[in-house]
Amino acid sequence: MKILGTGSVLPKKIVTNEDLSKFLDTSDEWITTRTGIRQRHVISDEYIEDLGAEAALKALEMSGKSLEDIDLFICSNVVNEYITPSLACVISEKIGLKCSCFDINCACPGFLFALDIAETYYRAGRVKNVLIVCADEPTRMCDWSDRSTCVLFGDGAGAVVLGEGDNILATKTHSQPAVDKLWEKRVIEPTPYITKTETNVPLQMKGRDVFKFAVSASTTEVVDLLDSIGMKKDDVSYYVVHQANMRIIDAIKNFLNEPECKFPTNIADHGNSSSASCAILLDECNRKGLFKEGDILVFSAFGAGLLSAAAILRW
Ligand code: UT7
């Protein structure tokens, strides 16, 4: 497939590190040096489905495709106000889309899992044009008195429209199950028959373990995927890496021995917006005109599961 259009939307409320240090035992100095994050956009009176719908319409507008052209809509999301129907259905109704649609919950690498699914449908001859929306509000999952998690996240939505082409050169998804590294539990209504213990638990993360996994999975997958299609690091124009922590991005850059200019980032302004992260970064770079025709983009993302994924595409 080929990316025909991109779009993204952020909540209007901006929360700075200084704002957080007013109610948490933290500081701008700690957050900036340990994560590279200076501020994040946080959901307040908006609904994540509205951000997702707006991002979708922006991507559609850029793509030149109409709603009727879209054969499949994949929505990547971890949590939203509906348990059912899927967020994909909610967004479809909002924008008037009538094609087959479903949600995937693949945490932070969700955009790359969606890209992999879209390309697989396309290669099977079942679709021509696919809409992907990554809409996530991880700030709703955190315990806002837990300084080790809530300072890391921001919310937002990113979208792409994919059409006919041979620009997706390779995709790879990977799972290394380790639930205890990053998880959250919520309890639905009890039934008269529940005898087991169930409790709501906000987002829990073993930060150092996830950090190590992220660097190791990303570097291994990028090298292997490039190798699988006979490409070298010199062929790569840009690495679009999940914006989880600037130190993770720096470690990946150092392991790959690649220059900083190949790693566009927006983590300082947005924090970690889960699966929306890569899609938003892609849209922002695209709208700034960073990518030139023929550029090779390498994507890499990692998160809860533990899941990771990589993709290579020619712009
Ligand atoms: O989206 C994908 C999933 N997530 C990730 O990729 C995140 C991966 N992990 C990370 O980015 C980092 O591990 C963190 C940013 C979460 C933590 O950084 P760290 O350098 O690994 O710090 P740490 O957890 O080892 O904590 C060091 C110290 C601790 O204090 P003590 O025990 O040394 O006294 C923490 O309590 O920093 C303390 N700390 C804080 N201090 C001020 C933790 N959070 C904060 C905070 N402000 N916000």
Side-chain angles (χ1 to χ4, degrees):
M1 302 196 90
K2 177 184 183 170
I3 292 181
L4 305 176
T6 62
S8 62
V9 180
L10 297 160
K12 61 183 177 308
K13 174 84 185 156
I14 292 175
V15 177
T16 64
N17 295 345
E18 206 59 53
D19 294 332
L20 294 176
S21 64
K22 288 182 188 138
F23 63 89
L24 278 174
D25 180 16
T26 189
S27 63
D28 177 50
E29 203 265 334
W30 192 96
I31 303 171
T32 309
T33 52
R34 296 288 181 125
T35 72
I37 300 166
R38 293 187 181 278
Q39 61 169 50
R40 68 287 290 144
H41 291 250
V42 173
I43 284 269
S44 54
D45 61 358
E46 304 99 339
Y47 291 91
I48 194 70
E49 57 262 36
D50 291 329
L51 303 188
E54 201 181 328
L57 292 175
K58 285 185 174 180
L60 275 162
E61 187 186 9
M62 187 190 283
S63 74
K65 296 288 177 190
S66 67
L67 290 168
E68 293 70 35
D69 293 327
I70 303 297
D71 307 306
L72 177 69
F73 168 27
I74 308 168
C75 183
S76 166
N77 169 259
V78 175
V79 68
N80 68 84
E81 65 184 312
Y82 288 91
I83 289 171
T84 193
S86 67
L87 187 59
C89 287
V90 177
I91 293 175
S92 288
E93 186 173 57
K94 275 191 181 295
I95 64 175
L97 188 63
K98 294 201 172 65
C99 65
S100 167
C101 66
F102 55 84
D103 283 4
I104 58 166
N105 179 344
C106 301
C108 302
F111 175 58
L112 303 183
F113 275 73
L115 211 60
D116 180 64
I117 297 167
E119 177 72 2
T120 305
Y121 267 72
Y122 179 73
R123 286 186 188 225
R126 296 190 52 190
V127 297
K128 284 194 175 134
N129 301 302
V130 178
L131 170 67
I132 295 174
V133 173
C134 302
D136 268 319
E137 46 180 359
T139 68
R140 302 297 300 276
M141 300 165 67
C142 303
D143 170 356
W144 278 79
S145 63
D146 176 7
R147 65 179 185 174
S148 69
T149 53
C150 74
V151 304
L152 305 173
F153 296 97
D155 307 316
V160 298
V161 171
L162 297 153
E164 291 176 90
D166 56 3
N167 296 60
I168 297 183
L169 306 179
T171 55
K172 175 98 179 109
T173 59
H174 177 75
S175 167
Q176 189 175 303
V179 175
D180 70 318
K181 306 291 186 209
L182 182 48
W183 58 279
E184 178 185 358
K185 272 190 182 177
R186 67 183 159 154
V187 176
I188 311 170
E189 285 300 299
T191 76
Y193 306 105
I194 292 294
T195 52
K196 59 203 172 187
T197 309
E198 292 183 332
T199 26
N200 280 306
V201 184
L203 193 77
Q204 305 292 310
M205 181 168 70
K206 294 190 172 148
R208 285 185 185 187
D209 292 352
V210 178
F211 191 113
K212 282 185 208 148
F213 166 76
V215 177
S216 139
S218 176
T219 48
T220 309
E221 280 160 29
V222 165
V223 169
D224 287 355
L225 206 56
L226 282 169
D227 200 38
S228 74
I229 56 169
M231 278 195 162
K232 307 222 170 319
K233 286 184 291 174
D234 285 351
D235 299 318
V236 179
S237 315
Y238 296 103
Y239 294 90
V240 181
V241 177
H242 174 43
Q243 305 287 293
N245 185 328
M246 198 58 217
R247 283 161 53 221
I248 294 180
I249 300 167
D250 282 340
I252 294 168
K253 182 189 75 193
N254 293 340
F255 265 105
L256 294 173
N257 196 21
E258 284 282 63
E260 197 172 323
C261 59
K262 285 191 180 183
F263 289 78
T265 63
N266 62 13
I267 186 166
D269 294 329
H270 300 341
N272 177 350
S273 54
S274 189
S275 74
S277 155
C278 280
I280 293 172
L281 180 59
L282 174 69
D283 179 54
E284 289 183 350
C285 293
N286 185 21
R287 283 175 194 267
K288 278 185 208 147
L290 183 67
F291 307 138
K292 303 284 172 282
E293 196 176 338
D295 275 353
I296 297 296
L297 311 189
V298 173
F299 292 81
S300 173
F302 34 78
L306 296 165
L307 296 179
S308 55
I312 304 174
L313 66 88
R314 185 184 297 109
W315 193 250

